């Protein structure tokens, strides 16, 4: 049973390595990149700790060089899912009873393995397989995942220590934070290796078991993350790594009576579909499933006429174009006052035009390729729409080329219409659309920002005027779950800015915090009476 006798180490954010020229980490990472790029691996499913190969395989390629195959991967079927569920239920019996500090030790060891001997492999596989620069891989696959694993232990300890504060004389009240009965289905997105490693691990830390289904376009790095967890001593079957056709696997998983919850990050459409399918199976489940889903965003920057132009331009560039705009938090719409636009336009266009794009193995690049052909097509369609619209002007970028890799130039569009599709929909690529508003329409612009998109994930305000900051914070209170003041809307850090949004952006359960972990336990209240009554009448019954 969960107890909290031992105190876990106090977590610190993992220091981010620079990979600057001449540093030993740069040399070591480059060596690992050469090693991985020079071989082709075969990725199995991992069920009950064993590698399972079905023989039905797909190729995993580099997005920036799509003829280069990094791996083949095996597609699971209903048969493998059946075995994964059965295995997970067997593993649950031992794991759910293990003292919490033993479970915590596995996660802390995984964090240390990732910080040390596995760092280069997980970073290099994220760079090659998801087309991230060294810096983007380091802040994600290394630093953030290490933080998730370490901070979650700290938050779990706090949850276990949370006990009823009042005990009547002769009574001892306790709360047993029980793991969920059954398994959690962890469905993870391609864009963050850290999220992929966190979603199956968080319910496991709380004593539960997970079926982890990574995205087809991040299987490569995610497989190495699974190996880290195994090396850290995660017992067989506690997390099963299931890969294959997403819809087919899901159709085998959702109708299981052992289904206890969904830990999902990805697009809103897939989340809505999953929720609907769960509802269809509700009568089958032993427990009402927990549903945690972090989904899309249409993240904004609003600038006031008092904004610092230099800070604004850097925030727009980094916020919109790092990792090719494929962050759920990426700034993809901005509202600039007329009085600032003439001072913002030139430095912004110059900065964007100076961005180097290419293979992540060339460390001079700031951007690489978008994830796959379907992303390339969908993003380039938005750019074409901007090119053909009389209401829109492309002031930087606009080019794209998929002959070698899926490359799309960082693109800045100015739209007269603040409600064009490019200002409302998640594009999930390197396209920033700006609307220039009259300075005296600041209040109307804030209302417009609040009502333009169904999403409410991240957003930022730039101003020096304190009253303007206060007003933006108030009007946009529900427009973002992560709100930034004079900073870009990306780059949330575990333990500092817990992440998640409301409205169409998710259930806002803040990954990497106790708010998330609490969803993976089902408390049992226990009352012990040391001196139970020996007769039934109450005092008021004395006399007449
Ligand atoms: P996606 O929706 O294409 O895929 C997400 C996951 O769902 C993948 O594992 C995918 O294989 C799976 N999936 C797809 N179809 C499925 C089906 N029919 N049944 C079951 N699973 C299915 O998203 P993506 O392209 O991997 O990631 C990008 C999206 O994720 C963006 O919308 C982004 O905003 C969002 N995201 C949100 C956050 C957040 O914290 N809010 C963080 C990262 C990414």
């Amino acid at each position: 049973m969960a107890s909290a006798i031992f105190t876990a180490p106090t977590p610190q954010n993992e220091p981010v390595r620079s990979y600057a020229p001449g540093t030993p980490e740069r040399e070591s990472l480059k060596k690992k990149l050469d090693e991985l790029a020079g071989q082709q691996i075969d990725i199995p499913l991992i069920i009950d700790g064993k590698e399972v190969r079905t023989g039905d395989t797909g190729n995993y390629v580099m997005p920036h060089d799509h003829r280069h195959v990094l791996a083949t991967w095996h597609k699971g079927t209903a048969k493998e899912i059946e075995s994964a569920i059965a295995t997970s239920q067997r593993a649950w019996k031992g794991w759910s009873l293990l003292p919490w500090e033993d479970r915590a030790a596995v996660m802390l060891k995984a964090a240390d393995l990732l910080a040390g001997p596995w760092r280069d492999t997980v970073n290099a596989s994220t760079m090659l397989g998801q087309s991230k620069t060294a810096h983007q891989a380091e802040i994600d696959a290394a630093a953030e995942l290490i933080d998730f694993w370490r901070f979650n232990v700290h938050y779990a300890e706090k949850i276990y220590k949370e006990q009823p504060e009042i005990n009547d004389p002769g009574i001892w009240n306790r709360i047993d934070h029980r793991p969920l009965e059954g398994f959690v289905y962890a469905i993870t997105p391609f864009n963050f290796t850290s999220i992929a490693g966190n979603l199956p691990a968080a319910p496991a830390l709380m004593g539960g078991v997970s079926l982890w289904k990574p995205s087809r376009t991040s299987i490569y790095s995610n497989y190495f993350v699974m190996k880290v967890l195994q090396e850290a001593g995660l017992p067989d079957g506690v997390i099963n790594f299931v890969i294959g056709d997403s819809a087919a696997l899901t159709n085998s998983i959702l109708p299981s009576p052992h289904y206890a919850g969904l830990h999902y990050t990805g697009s809103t459409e897939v989340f809505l579909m999953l929720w609907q399918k769960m509802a269809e199976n509700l009568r089958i489940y032993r427990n009402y499933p927990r549903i945690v889903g972090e989904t899309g965003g249409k993240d904004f920057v609003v600038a006031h006429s008092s904004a610092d132009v230099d800070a604004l331009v850097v925030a727009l560039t980094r916020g919109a174009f790092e990792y090719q705009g494929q962050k759920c938090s990426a700034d993809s719409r901005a509202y600039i006052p007329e009085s600032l636009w003439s001072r913002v336009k030139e430095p912004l266009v110059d900065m964007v035009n100076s961005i180097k794009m290419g293979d992540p193995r060339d460390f001079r690049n700031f951007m690489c390729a978008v994830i796959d052909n379907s992303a390339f097509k969908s993003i380039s369609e938005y750019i074409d729409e901007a090119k053909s619209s009389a209401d829109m002007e492309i002031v930087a970028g606009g080019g794209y080329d998929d002959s070698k890799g899926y490359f799309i130039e960082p693109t800045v569009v100015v739209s007269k219409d603040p409600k064009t599709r490019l200002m409302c929909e998640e594009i999930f690529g390197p396209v920033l659309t700006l609307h220039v508003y009259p300075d005296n329409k600041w209040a109307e612009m804030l209302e417009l920002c609040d009502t333009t998109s169904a999403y409410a994930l991240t957003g930022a305000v730039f101003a020096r005027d304190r009253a303007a900051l206060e007003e933006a914070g108030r009007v946009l209170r529900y427009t973002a779950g992560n709100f930034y003041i004079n900073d870009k809307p990306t780059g949330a850090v575990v333990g500092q800015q817990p992440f998640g949004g409301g409205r169409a952006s998710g259930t806002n359960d803040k990954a990497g915090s106790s708010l998330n972990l609490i969803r993976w336990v089902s408390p049992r209240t226990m009352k012990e009476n040391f001196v139970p009554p020996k007769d039934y009448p109450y005092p008021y019954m004395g006399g007449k």
Side-chain angles (χ1 to χ4, degrees):
M1 235 168 69
S3 61
I5 303 167
F6 303 107
T7 303
T10 306
Q12 303 283 332
N13 288 117
E14 175 68 12
V16 171
R17 294 185 178 171
S18 79
Y19 301 96
T23 55
E25 69 251 24
R26 181 177 173 114
E27 200 183 316
S28 154
L29 179 60
K30 287 216 164 197
K31 231 192 248 166
K32 187 55 80 175
L33 285 163
D34 287 344
E35 182 194 320
L36 291 186
Q39 65 189 31
Q40 194 174 307
I41 62 165
D42 186 50
I43 302 177
L45 291 82
I46 299 178
I47 298 173
D48 203 17
K50 317 220 173 20
E51 303 204 331
V52 176
R53 292 185 162 77
T54 58
D56 177 13
T57 58
N59 283 344
Y60 192 105
V61 300
M62 291 182 182
H64 43 275
D65 182 359
H66 46 57
R67 279 181 207 93
H68 189 132
V69 177
L70 287 166
T72 48
W73 57 279
H74 289 255
K75 298 178 186 172
T77 64
K79 182 174 149 229
E80 285 74 39
I81 292 302
E82 198 182 316
S83 139
I85 293 176
T87 292
S88 74
Q89 294 316 288
R90 279 198 299 275
W92 184 88
K93 289 192 179 124
W95 181 248
S96 64
L97 289 176
L98 208 62
W100 89 274
E101 51 271 12
D102 292 288
R103 291 185 258 117
V106 171
M107 298 301 162
L108 293 175
K109 177 162 180 169
D112 280 1
L113 288 171
L114 181 53
W118 279 92
R119 193 180 197 116
D120 283 344
T121 303
V122 175
N123 271 340
S125 57
T126 299
M127 292 171 70
L128 297 173
Q130 287 139 265
S131 212
K132 287 204 174 191
T133 61
H135 176 68
Q136 291 301 314
E138 168 73 8
I139 59 172
D140 159 28
E144 189 171 48
L145 184 49
I146 293 163
D147 284 353
F148 273 136
W149 286 343
R150 287 188 183 143
F151 278 78
N152 276 349
V153 166
H154 171 68
Y155 296 127
E157 181 184 23
K158 282 192 165 175
I159 289 174
Y160 292 133
K161 282 191 169 154
E162 230 167 69
Q163 294 294 327
E165 283 175 8
I166 302 192
N167 296 295
D168 279 345
I171 299 292
W172 187 11
N173 296 310
R174 280 172 278 168
I175 289 191
D176 168 17
H177 297 276
R178 300 172 300 180
L180 298 187
E181 263 187 306
F183 68 89
V184 171
Y185 186 19
I187 302 184
T188 59
F190 81 84
N191 66 335
F192 278 94
T193 304
S194 57
I195 298 178
N198 180 44
L199 299 199
L205 169 65
M206 304 312 284
V209 294
S210 315
L211 259 58
W212 174 17
K213 196 212 72 58
S215 161
R216 182 179 47 79
T217 42
S218 62
I219 287 174
Y220 184 60
S221 66
N222 293 183
Y223 171 63
F224 292 114
V225 169
M226 182 66 195
K227 292 219 159 262
V228 176
L229 288 164
Q230 286 188 292
E231 193 177 320
L234 188 77
D236 294 345
V238 169
I239 296 178
N240 287 311
F241 183 77
V242 294
I243 50 183
D245 177 75
S246 297
L249 296 187
T250 300
N251 285 339
S252 306
I253 290 170
L254 289 188
S256 166
H258 303 295
Y259 183 79
L262 174 70
H263 203 185
Y264 171 86
T265 299
S267 64
T268 301
E269 275 313 308
V270 172
F271 185 50
L272 290 171
M273 181 276 295
L274 290 166
W275 197 313
Q276 223 142 16
K277 284 200 169 174
M278 280 181 271
E280 285 162 19
N281 288 302
L282 263 188
R283 288 181 192 280
I284 297 175
Y285 303 141
R286 214 166 358 141
N287 289 279
Y288 298 110
R290 294 284 162 88
I291 303 175
V292 173
E294 299 305 332
T295 62
K298 184 67 184 176
D299 311 301
F300 60 84
V301 168
V302 294
H304 183 255
S305 52
S306 66
D308 175 332
V309 169
D310 296 338
L312 174 65
V313 168
V314 171
L316 290 173
T317 307
R318 285 186 166 176
F321 302 122
E322 280 180 315
Y323 193 38
Q324 298 79 262
Q326 298 171 118
K327 297 190 183 189
C328 47
S329 54
D331 163 27
S332 65
R333 57 182 167 129
Y335 302 83
I336 315 289
E338 270 168 2
S339 62
L340 278 198
W341 179 230
S342 58
R343 288 193 284 137
V344 168
K345 183 176 177 185
E346 200 182 311
L348 178 64
V349 170
D350 287 352
M351 201 175 277
V352 172
N353 286 339
S354 75
I355 288 176
K356 286 195 167 43
M357 182 168 69
D359 192 308
R361 286 170 290 182
D362 179 346
F363 281 27
R364 288 168 304 181
N365 290 325
F366 179 80
M367 278 175 58
C368 309
V370 299
I371 195 68
D372 62 7
N373 187 36
S374 108
F376 180 84
K377 274 198 183 139
S378 128
I379 301 161
S380 46
E381 272 171 28
Y382 282 101
I383 294 178
D384 289 346
E385 189 171 321
K387 282 180 182 162
S388 63
S389 161
D391 269 350
M392 285 186 263
E393 183 197 359
I394 294 180
V395 294
Y400 47 80
D401 179 359
D402 64 351
S403 50
K404 184 165 199 284
Y406 303 112
F407 289 104
I408 298 189
E409 285 176 5
T411 299
V412 180
V413 178
V414 179
S415 175
K416 283 188 205 142
D417 176 4
K419 292 227 172 179
T420 167
R421 221 159 66 87
L422 276 76
M423 290 292 283
C424 308
E425 295 177 9
E426 181 176 55
I427 299 174
F428 220 60
V431 180
L432 169 64
T433 311
L434 308 171
H435 174 68
V436 179
Y437 70 91
D439 287 42
N440 62 1
K441 299 277 185 213
W442 161 253
E444 290 85 341
M445 181 278 295
L446 293 177
E447 289 293 340
L448 181 71
C449 177
D450 179 49
T451 51
T452 290
S453 157
Y455 298 110
L457 191 49
T458 77
V461 55
F462 277 78
R464 279 188 270 221
D465 179 326
R466 197 69 225 175
L469 289 175
E470 186 280 330
E471 188 179 354
R474 178 165 32 84
V475 178
L476 301 175
R477 190 165 181 216
Y478 287 92
T479 325
N482 282 60
F483 188 65
Y484 294 81
I485 299 165
N486 290 320
D487 203 358
K488 66 180 168 54
T490 58
V493 175
V494 176
Q496 300 194 38
Q497 301 99 22
F499 193 79
R503 296 186 183 163
S505 290
T507 54
N508 199 14
D509 288 290
K510 302 289 188 205
S513 80
S514 58
L515 295 170
N516 176 283
L517 295 183
I518 201 89
R519 305 298 311 275
W520 311 119
V521 287
S522 177
R524 172 174 66 148
T525 302
M526 298 165 72
K527 172 188 174 187
E528 181 166 353
N529 195 341
F530 296 129
V531 196
K534 297 286 172 65
D535 200 358
Y536 84 92
Y538 291 101
Y540 78 91
M541 293 162 74
K544 250 199 191 168

